[in-house]
Amino acid sequence: MSDLFDPEPVRWGLRGDPWVWRAMREQLVTLALPPSVGEVERLLKATFDRVVACDLAAESAPWVYREEFAHGGLSSGSVHLDTWRAELLPTLIDRARSQLSG
């Protein structure tokens, strides 16, 4: 699973996003890629929810603040949920789809 996280995106939503990306990679480093895209998607969403302590599907706010991802800067510690929904999780899922079909 950790192969899905390399390379890191060039663009993030807020300053906490790269730290979430890295925490998710760390959580999934020992796991093999599940055999279906649906299973990968469920695993990624569950990992995000656990790492950020937020139900991405249920949370209506565009962003949340998490102290553990605060490492300096104006939006430090802020995780942009909309970017995770629209770009970052879909990127990981597309990478898994490519690996599973190739």
Side-chain angles (χ1 to χ4, degrees):
M1 284 291 293
S2 65
D3 289 348
L4 301 179
F5 292 86
D6 293 315
E8 287 190 355
V10 174
R11 197 174 78 113
W12 304 100
L14 292 169
R15 290 186 189 266
D17 293 337
W19 299 100
V20 173
W21 183 275
R22 294 169 193 145
M24 288 179 63
R25 178 177 48 208
E26 188 64 31
Q27 293 249 330
L28 298 170
V29 71
T30 61
L31 297 180
L33 190 65
S36 76
V37 174
E39 289 175 79
V40 170
E41 185 172 355
R42 281 187 293 280
L43 179 58
L44 288 169
K45 287 180 178 179
T47 303
F48 178 90
D49 290 355
R50 186 173 53 255
V51 165
V52 180
C54 169
D55 183 344
L56 188 61
E59 180 59 61
S60 62
W63 61 274
V64 294
Y65 174 80
R66 296 295 181 258
E67 181 70 34
E68 63 269 30
F69 302 123
H71 297 278
L74 186 60
S75 67
S76 181
S78 297
V79 179
H80 198 248
L81 303 178
D82 289 346
T83 298
W84 278 95
R85 289 181 191 109
E87 297 175 33
L88 300 176
L89 282 174
T91 294
L92 292 167
I93 293 164
D94 286 346
R95 289 176 182 182
R97 185 175 287 112
S98 293
Q99 285 189 19
L100 291 169
S101 66

XYZ file of all heavy atoms in Angstrom:
808
model
N 0.813 -1.205 0.000
C 0.000 0.000 0.000
C 0.852 1.262 0.000
O 0.448 2.255 -0.577
C -0.913 0.020 1.231
C -2.107 -0.895 1.168
S -3.357 -0.426 -0.027
C -3.974 1.081 0.630
N 1.996 1.206 0.648
C 2.782 2.437 0.779
C 3.267 2.959 -0.572
O 3.517 4.159 -0.708
C 3.953 2.243 1.734
O 4.864 1.309 1.223
N 3.364 2.094 -1.588
C 3.772 2.544 -2.926
C 2.794 3.561 -3.508
O 3.187 4.396 -4.331
C 3.885 1.363 -3.889
C 5.061 0.471 -3.590
O 5.930 0.875 -2.793
O 5.107 -0.642 -4.141
N 1.548 3.500 -3.097
C 0.543 4.433 -3.607
C 0.862 5.877 -3.227
O 0.427 6.808 -3.894
C -0.846 4.084 -3.072
C -1.398 2.698 -3.376
C -2.777 2.543 -2.749
C -1.446 2.450 -4.868
N 1.630 6.058 -2.182
C 1.890 7.389 -1.640
C 3.122 8.064 -2.244
O 3.464 9.174 -1.848
C 2.019 7.297 -0.116
C 0.715 6.945 0.555
C 0.340 5.619 0.698
C -0.126 7.936 1.012
C -0.862 5.285 1.308
C -1.330 7.619 1.617
C -1.701 6.292 1.765
N 3.781 7.402 -3.182
C 4.958 7.975 -3.842
C 4.713 8.116 -5.335
O 4.306 7.148 -5.967
C 6.186 7.086 -3.605
C 6.618 7.082 -2.156
O 6.680 8.172 -1.554
O 6.875 5.997 -1.631
N 4.945 9.288 -5.872
C 5.433 10.505 -5.225
C 4.299 11.259 -4.531
O 3.121 11.044 -4.823
C 5.970 11.324 -6.389
C 5.099 10.933 -7.543
C 4.790 9.466 -7.316
N 4.700 12.149 -3.634
C 3.720 13.011 -2.977
C 3.187 14.021 -3.989
O 3.886 14.400 -4.928
C 4.366 13.768 -1.813
C 4.650 12.913 -0.622
C 5.061 13.716 0.603
O 5.223 14.955 0.504
O 5.204 13.102 1.667
N 1.954 14.474 -3.787
C 1.401 15.504 -4.676
C 2.222 16.792 -4.613
O 2.858 17.080 -3.598
C -0.003 15.745 -4.116
C -0.319 14.538 -3.310
C 0.988 14.031 -2.782
N 2.156 17.548 -5.671
C 2.834 18.840 -5.722
C 1.991 19.893 -5.009
O 2.507 20.818 -4.406
C 3.081 19.251 -7.193
C 3.655 20.643 -7.300
C 3.967 18.241 -7.878
N 0.680 19.715 -5.050
C -0.257 20.704 -4.516
C -1.096 20.105 -3.390
O -1.584 18.978 -3.502
C -1.181 21.164 -5.648
C -1.918 22.416 -5.406
C -2.645 22.793 -6.671
N -3.842 21.976 -6.813
C -5.075 22.442 -6.741
N -5.276 23.715 -6.560
N -6.101 21.643 -6.867
N -1.250 20.867 -2.328
C -2.047 20.463 -1.172
C -3.148 21.488 -0.949
O -3.072 22.597 -1.469
C -1.173 20.394 0.078
C 0.011 19.497 -0.045
C 1.295 19.892 -0.308
C 0.058 18.076 0.069
N 2.125 18.797 -0.350
C 1.380 17.659 -0.117
C -0.904 17.099 0.329
C 1.783 16.341 -0.062
C -0.519 15.776 0.375
C 0.805 15.396 0.188
N -4.129 21.134 -0.110
C -5.178 22.092 0.239
C -4.724 23.034 1.343
O -4.739 24.245 1.191
N -4.280 22.453 2.477
C -3.803 23.230 3.614
C -2.538 22.580 4.172
O -2.197 21.450 3.808
C -4.891 23.317 4.695
C -6.125 24.148 4.318
C -7.245 23.950 5.328
C -5.789 25.624 4.176
N -1.869 23.260 5.086
C -0.559 22.805 5.568
C -0.575 21.479 6.325
O 0.434 20.808 6.413
C 0.080 23.874 6.439
C 0.513 25.083 5.659
C 1.280 26.037 6.555
N 1.527 27.283 5.890
C 2.642 27.553 5.227
N 3.595 26.668 5.138
N 2.789 28.725 4.654
N -1.707 21.077 6.859
C -1.777 19.799 7.556
C -1.861 18.609 6.616
O -1.560 17.476 7.004
N -2.248 18.839 5.357
C -2.463 17.741 4.414
C -1.240 16.854 4.175
O -1.374 15.623 4.180
C -3.001 18.268 3.082
C -4.398 18.855 3.200
O -5.122 18.486 4.151
O -4.769 19.685 2.349
N -0.039 17.424 3.979
C 1.116 16.536 3.770
C 1.392 15.647 4.975
O 1.835 14.505 4.825
C 2.292 17.488 3.531
C 1.728 18.834 3.344
C 0.322 18.829 3.828
N 1.108 16.157 6.173
C 1.342 15.366 7.381
C 0.341 14.219 7.486
O 0.693 13.122 7.935
C 1.306 16.268 8.614
C 2.370 17.316 8.541
C 2.224 18.622 8.174
C 3.763 17.121 8.772
N 3.439 19.246 8.180
C 4.406 18.352 8.547
C 4.533 16.032 9.158
C 5.781 18.507 8.693
C 5.901 16.195 9.310
C 6.504 17.417 9.075
N -0.884 14.457 7.044
C -1.885 13.383 6.999
C -1.454 12.335 5.982
O -1.513 11.127 6.250
C -3.288 13.937 6.649
C -4.279 12.805 6.429
C -3.772 14.877 7.739
N -1.009 12.768 4.818
C -0.535 11.871 3.757
C 0.550 10.938 4.308
O 0.498 9.722 4.133
C -0.003 12.721 2.600
C 0.471 11.983 1.389
C 1.711 11.444 1.189
C -0.272 11.731 0.198
N 1.789 10.885 -0.054
C 0.586 11.042 -0.689
C -1.559 12.040 -0.224
C 0.185 10.652 -1.966
C -1.960 11.640 -1.492
C -1.099 10.956 -2.337
N 1.510 11.533 4.997
C 2.632 10.754 5.545
C 2.186 9.828 6.668
O 2.672 8.698 6.782
C 3.736 11.700 6.004
C 4.360 12.444 4.829
C 5.263 13.575 5.258
N 5.550 14.414 4.095
C 5.691 15.727 4.146
N 5.588 16.373 5.301
N 5.937 16.404 3.046
N 1.257 10.281 7.506
C 0.740 9.438 8.585
C -0.034 8.253 8.012
O 0.070 7.124 8.529
C -0.141 10.262 9.513
N -0.786 8.488 6.958
C -1.517 7.384 6.321
C -0.546 6.374 5.714
O -0.720 5.167 5.877
C -2.464 7.919 5.248
C -3.671 8.634 5.813
S -4.769 9.290 4.530
C -5.303 7.782 3.713
N 0.475 6.873 5.040
C 1.479 5.973 4.460
C 2.117 5.121 5.554
O 2.280 3.915 5.405
C 2.553 6.768 3.714
C 3.646 5.861 3.145
C 4.685 6.599 2.337
N 5.159 7.775 3.036
C 5.625 8.869 2.439
N 5.679 8.939 1.134
N 6.045 9.879 3.148
N 2.444 5.750 6.672
C 3.056 5.035 7.792
C 2.119 3.960 8.346
O 2.559 2.864 8.672
C 3.434 6.030 8.890
C 4.244 5.427 9.998
C 5.610 4.925 9.564
O 6.204 5.493 8.628
O 6.078 3.940 10.160
N 0.846 4.262 8.421
C -0.141 3.290 8.918
C -0.288 2.092 7.978
O -0.593 0.994 8.419
C -1.511 3.959 9.065
C -1.556 4.993 10.142
C -2.413 4.564 11.304
O -3.365 3.826 11.152
N -2.047 5.034 12.471
N -0.088 2.320 6.687
C -0.349 1.282 5.688
C 0.910 0.607 5.159
O 0.827 -0.261 4.293
C -1.144 1.892 4.526
C -2.514 2.452 4.903
C -3.107 3.250 3.761
C -3.438 1.336 5.344
N 2.067 0.979 5.677
C 3.351 0.527 5.131
C 3.491 -0.994 5.096
O 4.111 -1.529 4.182
C 4.535 1.204 5.872
C 4.692 0.663 7.285
C 5.823 1.054 5.097
N 2.913 -1.697 6.027
C 3.101 -3.151 6.084
C 2.012 -3.931 5.348
O 2.097 -5.155 5.254
C 3.133 -3.640 7.546
O 1.886 -3.332 8.162
C 4.281 -3.003 8.308
N 1.011 -3.234 4.829
C -0.101 -3.920 4.178
C 0.120 -4.069 2.680
O 0.598 -3.151 2.018
C -1.408 -3.168 4.412
C -1.879 -3.046 5.854
C -3.187 -2.286 5.906
C -2.037 -4.417 6.489
N -0.275 -5.219 2.169
C -0.255 -5.448 0.723
C -1.475 -4.769 0.096
O -2.485 -4.529 0.768
C -0.286 -6.941 0.427
N -1.380 -4.477 -1.166
C -2.489 -3.880 -1.900
C -3.648 -4.879 -1.957
O -3.464 -6.017 -2.397
C -2.029 -3.513 -3.312
C -2.967 -2.674 -4.162
C -3.136 -1.288 -3.549
C -2.420 -2.566 -5.573
N -4.837 -4.493 -1.485
C -5.987 -5.390 -1.581
C -6.281 -5.736 -3.051
O -5.884 -5.003 -3.957
C -7.130 -4.589 -0.964
C -6.455 -3.630 -0.042
C -5.167 -3.276 -0.752
N -7.006 -6.823 -3.293
C -7.213 -7.290 -4.662
C -8.228 -6.506 -5.490
O -8.306 -6.711 -6.706
C -7.689 -8.732 -4.478
C -8.275 -8.769 -3.118
C -7.507 -7.771 -2.311
N -8.983 -5.598 -4.881
C -9.953 -4.829 -5.665
C -9.876 -3.347 -5.319
O -9.487 -2.968 -4.210
C -11.376 -5.338 -5.410
O -11.838 -4.896 -4.151
N -10.274 -2.522 -6.279
C -10.275 -1.077 -6.079
C -11.242 -0.693 -4.955
O -10.950 0.186 -4.154
C -10.622 -0.342 -7.390
C -10.772 1.148 -7.163
C -9.559 -0.610 -8.442
N -12.373 -1.371 -4.881
C -13.335 -1.088 -3.819
C -12.750 -1.309 -2.438
O -12.972 -0.511 -1.525
N -11.998 -2.389 -2.284
C -11.360 -2.664 -0.991
C -10.287 -1.622 -0.679
O -10.138 -1.209 0.473
C -10.748 -4.061 -0.994
C -11.772 -5.169 -0.975
C -11.127 -6.531 -1.100
O -10.613 -7.021 -0.073
O -11.123 -7.082 -2.214
N -9.543 -1.212 -1.696
C -8.525 -0.172 -1.505
C -9.202 1.118 -1.055
O -8.767 1.766 -0.097
C -7.721 0.072 -2.802
C -6.842 1.310 -2.668
C -6.898 -1.140 -3.164
N -10.280 1.480 -1.723
C -10.996 2.702 -1.381
C -11.512 2.660 0.060
O -11.344 3.624 0.810
C -12.159 2.906 -2.351
C -12.890 4.210 -2.139
C -13.920 4.484 -3.223
O -14.025 3.721 -4.199
O -14.635 5.499 -3.085
N -12.102 1.562 0.468
C -12.597 1.433 1.842
C -11.451 1.539 2.849
O -11.573 2.211 3.876
C -13.346 0.107 2.017
C -14.755 0.143 1.459
C -15.542 -1.106 1.796
N -15.032 -2.310 1.156
C -15.268 -2.669 -0.098
N -16.015 -1.897 -0.860
N -14.781 -3.780 -0.588
N -10.328 0.896 2.546
C -9.180 0.930 3.444
C -8.609 2.341 3.552
O -8.292 2.821 4.646
C -8.106 -0.050 2.965
C -6.821 -0.117 3.790
C -7.109 -0.492 5.235
C -5.867 -1.124 3.157
N -8.484 3.036 2.438
C -7.958 4.401 2.451
C -8.876 5.337 3.232
O -8.410 6.145 4.041
C -7.762 4.915 1.029
C -6.596 4.307 0.258
C -6.670 4.686 -1.215
C -5.265 4.722 0.857
N -10.177 5.237 3.009
C -11.121 6.108 3.720
C -11.116 5.806 5.214
O -11.143 6.726 6.036
C -12.517 5.967 3.126
C -12.621 6.631 1.768
C -13.995 6.494 1.161
C -14.036 7.227 -0.176
N -15.333 7.115 -0.817
N -11.064 4.539 5.583
C -11.019 4.176 7.005
C -9.731 4.672 7.656
O -9.742 5.149 8.796
C -11.154 2.665 7.165
N -8.631 4.580 6.921
C -7.344 5.048 7.445
C -7.369 6.562 7.616
O -6.920 7.088 8.635
C -6.188 4.611 6.533
O -6.220 3.186 6.401
C -4.844 5.053 7.079
N -7.909 7.269 6.630
C -8.032 8.723 6.751
C -8.863 9.078 7.980
O -8.468 9.919 8.789
C -8.674 9.326 5.497
C -8.850 10.812 5.602
C -7.856 11.672 5.186
C -10.009 11.349 6.154
C -8.005 13.049 5.319
C -10.173 12.717 6.289
C -9.169 13.568 5.868
N -10.022 8.436 8.117
C -10.911 8.728 9.247
C -10.205 8.502 10.578
O -10.354 9.293 11.511
C -12.170 7.857 9.173
C -13.108 8.248 8.031
O -12.843 9.249 7.334
O -14.108 7.525 7.830
N -9.406 7.438 10.651
C -8.685 7.120 11.891
C -7.569 8.136 12.147
O -7.421 8.648 13.260
C -8.125 5.699 11.813
C -7.473 5.201 13.078
C -7.078 3.738 13.010
N -6.260 3.385 11.855
C -6.699 2.711 10.777
N -7.944 2.308 10.689
N -5.879 2.435 9.777
N -6.793 8.452 11.133
C -5.653 9.366 11.277
C -6.117 10.781 11.644
O -5.521 11.434 12.494
C -4.799 9.371 9.981
C -3.849 10.552 9.939
C -4.034 8.069 9.845
N -7.180 11.231 11.000
C -7.647 12.603 11.204
C -8.696 12.681 12.320
O -9.026 13.768 12.775
C -8.188 13.187 9.873
C -8.679 14.609 10.028
C -7.098 13.150 8.806
N -9.173 11.534 12.762
C -10.231 11.486 13.776
C -11.460 12.258 13.301
O -11.998 13.124 13.995
C -9.738 11.999 15.125
N -11.859 11.932 12.075
C -12.952 12.642 11.426
C -13.582 11.711 10.397
O -12.864 11.083 9.620
C -12.385 13.881 10.741
S -13.493 14.726 9.638
N -14.898 11.625 10.383
C -15.594 10.835 9.373
C -15.732 11.693 8.123
O -16.585 12.595 8.066
C -16.957 10.403 9.910
C -17.719 9.519 8.943
O -17.361 9.462 7.748
O -18.683 8.873 9.388
N -14.895 11.442 7.147
C -14.852 12.258 5.938
C -16.194 12.286 5.225
O -16.597 13.312 4.680
C -13.755 11.743 4.995
C -13.446 12.583 3.771
C -12.966 13.974 4.163
C -12.404 11.894 2.904
N -16.917 11.177 5.239
C -18.215 11.113 4.559
C -19.286 11.927 5.286
O -20.193 12.470 4.659
C -18.655 9.661 4.429
N -19.194 12.028 6.590
C -20.232 12.692 7.375
C -19.918 14.159 7.689
O -20.836 14.954 7.892
C -20.451 11.939 8.685
N -18.657 14.512 7.733
C -18.253 15.876 8.106
C -18.582 16.845 6.979
O -18.140 16.657 5.851
C -16.763 15.918 8.421
C -16.237 17.273 8.817
C -16.929 17.844 10.034
O -16.864 17.219 11.106
O -17.545 18.918 9.897
N -19.330 17.891 7.289
C -19.723 18.859 6.260
C -18.771 20.058 6.172
O -18.803 20.792 5.187
C -21.146 19.351 6.510
O -21.218 20.006 7.760
N -17.938 20.238 7.178
C -16.993 21.362 7.163
C -15.962 21.155 6.055
O -15.594 20.025 5.745
C -16.290 21.466 8.509
N -15.485 22.235 5.444
C -14.471 22.092 4.391
C -13.092 21.729 4.937
O -12.255 21.227 4.195
C -14.448 23.453 3.707
C -14.990 24.412 4.713
C -15.930 23.623 5.589
N -12.854 21.995 6.220
C -11.554 21.694 6.823
C -11.721 21.476 8.329
O -12.721 21.881 8.908
C -10.530 22.791 6.530
C -10.914 24.141 7.067
C -11.695 25.083 6.456
C -10.557 24.691 8.336
N -11.846 26.177 7.276
C -11.152 25.963 8.436
C -9.788 24.227 9.396
C -11.003 26.777 9.545
C -9.646 25.044 10.514
C -10.236 26.309 10.573
N -10.721 20.814 8.919
C -10.667 20.614 10.366
C -9.256 20.925 10.842
O -8.300 20.845 10.060
C -11.051 19.171 10.791
C -12.510 18.891 10.483
C -10.146 18.145 10.152
N -9.145 21.287 12.116
C -7.837 21.549 12.710
C -7.456 20.372 13.591
O -8.260 19.891 14.386
C -7.861 22.832 13.549
C -6.566 23.061 14.283
C -5.476 23.604 13.616
C -6.417 22.691 15.608
C -4.262 23.790 14.274
C -5.213 22.877 16.276
C -4.153 23.422 15.597
O -2.958 23.590 16.242
N -6.210 19.902 13.452
C -5.675 18.840 14.294
C -4.286 19.245 14.768
O -3.366 19.428 13.957
C -5.603 17.507 13.542
C -6.945 16.958 13.112
C -7.807 16.605 14.328
N -9.103 16.063 13.953
C -10.233 16.747 13.965
N -10.230 18.019 14.307
N -11.372 16.173 13.626
N -4.145 19.382 16.058
C -2.894 19.825 16.679
C -1.706 18.983 16.245
O -0.605 19.501 16.026
C -3.036 19.788 18.208
C -1.802 20.249 18.953
C -1.550 21.730 18.833
O -2.511 22.509 18.765
O -0.357 22.118 18.795
N -1.886 17.675 16.117
C -0.759 16.790 15.782
C -0.177 17.056 14.394
O 0.939 16.622 14.089
C -1.143 15.314 15.927
C -2.244 14.851 14.998
C -3.650 14.980 15.568
O -3.899 15.882 16.390
O -4.504 14.178 15.185
N -0.904 17.787 13.557
C -0.392 18.108 12.224
C 0.048 19.565 12.110
O 0.274 20.062 11.014
C -1.446 17.772 11.162
C -1.867 16.334 11.195
C -3.190 15.976 11.369
C -0.927 15.318 11.083
C -3.584 14.649 11.416
C -1.304 13.981 11.131
C -2.641 13.654 11.297
N 0.178 20.232 13.245
C 0.621 21.624 13.274
C 2.142 21.667 13.366
O 2.715 21.299 14.381
C -0.016 22.350 14.457
N 2.770 22.100 12.295
C 4.234 22.151 12.236
C 4.727 23.509 11.751
O 5.817 23.615 11.203
C 4.764 21.041 11.316
C 4.451 19.666 11.819
N 5.210 19.035 12.771
C 3.449 18.817 11.510
C 4.707 17.839 13.024
N 3.627 17.688 12.274
N 3.923 24.552 11.933
C 4.326 25.902 11.563
C 3.637 26.406 10.313
O 3.317 25.648 9.421
N 3.377 27.700 10.273
C 2.732 28.329 9.133
C 1.301 28.717 9.452
O 0.715 28.254 10.429
N 0.737 29.561 8.617
C -0.575 30.142 8.855
C -1.682 29.094 8.979
O -2.501 29.160 9.883
C -0.916 31.132 7.739
C -2.195 31.930 7.928
C -2.139 32.754 9.205
C -2.432 32.828 6.734
N -1.734 28.116 8.088
C -2.792 27.098 8.161
C -2.285 25.791 8.774
O -2.882 24.737 8.587
C -3.378 26.844 6.767
O -2.422 26.230 5.920
N -1.201 25.890 9.523
C -0.604 24.706 10.137
C -1.616 23.951 10.982
O -2.355 24.543 11.768
C 0.583 25.129 10.994
O 1.195 24.014 11.575
N -1.662 22.654 10.802
C -2.584 21.812 11.548
C -3.952 21.688 10.909
O -4.777 20.899 11.349
N -4.196 22.440 9.862
C -5.486 22.396 9.180
C -5.453 21.369 8.059
O -4.531 21.344 7.246
C -5.836 23.773 8.616
O -5.980 24.703 9.674
N -6.469 20.529 8.038
C -6.611 19.477 7.028
C -7.794 19.857 6.150
O -8.917 20.029 6.645
C -6.848 18.108 7.705
C -7.021 17.016 6.665
C -5.710 17.785 8.661
N -7.554 20.002 4.863
C -8.595 20.440 3.940
C -9.375 19.235 3.429
O -8.957 18.551 2.501
C -7.976 21.238 2.792
C -8.978 22.060 2.074
N -9.351 21.799 0.783
C -9.706 23.127 2.487
C -10.260 22.694 0.420
N -10.491 23.502 1.433
N -10.515 18.993 4.052
C -11.322 17.817 3.734
C -11.793 17.824 2.279
O -11.835 16.772 1.634
C -12.519 17.731 4.683
C -12.184 17.702 6.171
C -13.458 17.660 6.997
C -11.266 16.540 6.505
N -12.131 19.000 1.769
C -12.581 19.074 0.376
C -11.490 18.632 -0.597
O -11.776 17.963 -1.593
C -13.052 20.494 0.033
C -14.379 20.849 0.703
O -15.069 19.932 1.203
O -14.723 22.050 0.724
N -10.246 18.986 -0.313
C -9.137 18.552 -1.168
C -8.947 17.046 -1.065
O -8.671 16.378 -2.066
C -7.840 19.294 -0.803
O -8.032 20.691 -1.024
C -6.660 18.818 -1.638
N -9.114 16.499 0.120
C -8.999 15.047 0.281
C -10.104 14.339 -0.488
O -9.858 13.318 -1.126
C -9.009 14.664 1.768
C -7.649 14.841 2.354
C -7.176 15.933 3.022
C -6.566 13.914 2.281
N -5.856 15.740 3.372
C -5.462 14.505 2.930
C -6.418 12.649 1.737
C -4.229 13.864 3.053
C -5.198 12.006 1.858
C -4.118 12.620 2.501
N -11.303 14.894 -0.440
C -12.432 14.285 -1.166
C -12.246 14.376 -2.688
O -12.493 13.405 -3.397
C -13.738 14.977 -0.797
C -14.228 14.696 0.585
C -15.562 15.426 0.822
N -15.914 15.381 2.217
C -15.884 16.424 3.038
N -15.526 17.613 2.613
N -16.216 16.275 4.305
N -11.844 15.541 -3.165
C -11.822 15.814 -4.601
C -10.528 15.422 -5.304
O -10.549 15.111 -6.493
C -12.092 17.301 -4.846
N -9.398 15.430 -4.580
C -8.120 15.230 -5.250
C -7.236 14.142 -4.638
O -6.753 13.271 -5.352
C -7.329 16.546 -5.276
C -8.006 17.637 -6.070
C -7.265 18.960 -5.991
O -6.023 18.950 -5.892
O -7.944 20.001 -6.008
N -6.998 14.236 -3.339
C -5.969 13.379 -2.747
C -6.392 11.911 -2.653
O -5.637 11.028 -3.094
C -5.531 13.934 -1.399
C -4.944 15.360 -1.463
C -4.629 15.883 -0.072
C -3.717 15.395 -2.351
N -7.564 11.627 -2.104
C -8.015 10.230 -2.077
C -8.233 9.681 -3.491
O -7.811 8.566 -3.775
C -9.262 10.066 -1.214
C -9.000 10.053 0.291
C -10.312 10.025 1.068
C -8.119 8.895 0.702
N -8.860 10.456 -4.403
C -8.971 9.955 -5.779
C -7.613 9.667 -6.436
O -7.495 8.714 -7.210
C -9.721 11.068 -6.509
C -10.568 11.686 -5.447
C -9.687 11.657 -4.204
N -6.603 10.451 -6.121
C -5.258 10.183 -6.648
C -4.757 8.825 -6.172
O -4.249 8.018 -6.964
C -4.270 11.283 -6.213
O -4.651 12.512 -6.835
C -2.830 10.937 -6.580
N -4.915 8.559 -4.880
C -4.473 7.269 -4.332
C -5.266 6.111 -4.943
O -4.698 5.063 -5.281
C -4.623 7.277 -2.804
C -3.682 8.224 -2.063
C -4.127 8.393 -0.617
C -2.246 7.722 -2.146
N -6.555 6.306 -5.115
C -7.404 5.258 -5.699
C -7.030 5.019 -7.157
O -6.950 3.863 -7.602
C -8.889 5.634 -5.534
C -9.254 5.607 -4.039
C -9.788 4.688 -6.334
C -10.550 6.321 -3.690
N -6.756 6.076 -7.894
C -6.320 5.917 -9.295
C -4.984 5.194 -9.378
O -4.780 4.369 -10.279
C -6.209 7.291 -9.990
C -7.555 7.891 -10.313
O -8.579 7.173 -10.265
O -7.588 9.112 -10.598
N -4.095 5.491 -8.480
C -2.802 4.792 -8.466
C -3.005 3.299 -8.181
O -2.344 2.449 -8.796
C -1.858 5.398 -7.431
C -1.358 6.774 -7.823
C -0.509 7.379 -6.734
N -0.060 8.719 -7.088
C 0.731 9.464 -6.321
N 1.178 8.997 -5.173
N 1.082 10.668 -6.713
N -3.914 2.989 -7.276
C -4.207 1.568 -6.986
C -4.817 0.911 -8.206
O -4.453 -0.222 -8.558
C -5.159 1.479 -5.795
N -5.739 1.593 -8.858
C -6.379 1.051 -10.067
C -5.321 0.732 -11.116
O -5.368 -0.334 -11.741
C -7.394 2.063 -10.600
C -8.198 1.563 -11.777
C -9.279 2.557 -12.194
N -10.369 2.556 -11.225
C -10.667 3.569 -10.403
N -9.943 4.683 -10.425
N -11.675 3.491 -9.569
N -4.358 1.604 -11.298
C -3.282 1.383 -12.262
C -2.446 0.165 -11.893
O -2.091 -0.627 -12.768
C -2.375 2.609 -12.357
O -3.056 3.692 -12.912
N -2.150 0.019 -10.615
C -1.340 -1.133 -10.176
C -2.110 -2.438 -10.329
O -1.544 -3.456 -10.720
C -0.895 -0.961 -8.723
C 0.213 0.034 -8.556
C 0.784 0.026 -7.145
O 0.617 -0.917 -6.388
N 1.482 1.095 -6.806
N -3.408 -2.398 -10.033
C -4.210 -3.617 -10.114
C -4.475 -4.054 -11.556
O -4.597 -5.242 -11.822
C -5.533 -3.433 -9.361
C -5.409 -3.340 -7.849
C -6.729 -2.884 -7.223
C -4.959 -4.667 -7.264
N -4.532 -3.089 -12.455
C -4.807 -3.435 -13.854
C -3.543 -3.695 -14.650
O -3.590 -4.192 -15.753
C -5.629 -2.341 -14.527
O -4.871 -1.148 -14.630
N -2.392 -3.318 -14.085
C -1.143 -3.466 -14.817
C -0.420 -4.631 -14.368
O 0.138 -5.523 -14.657
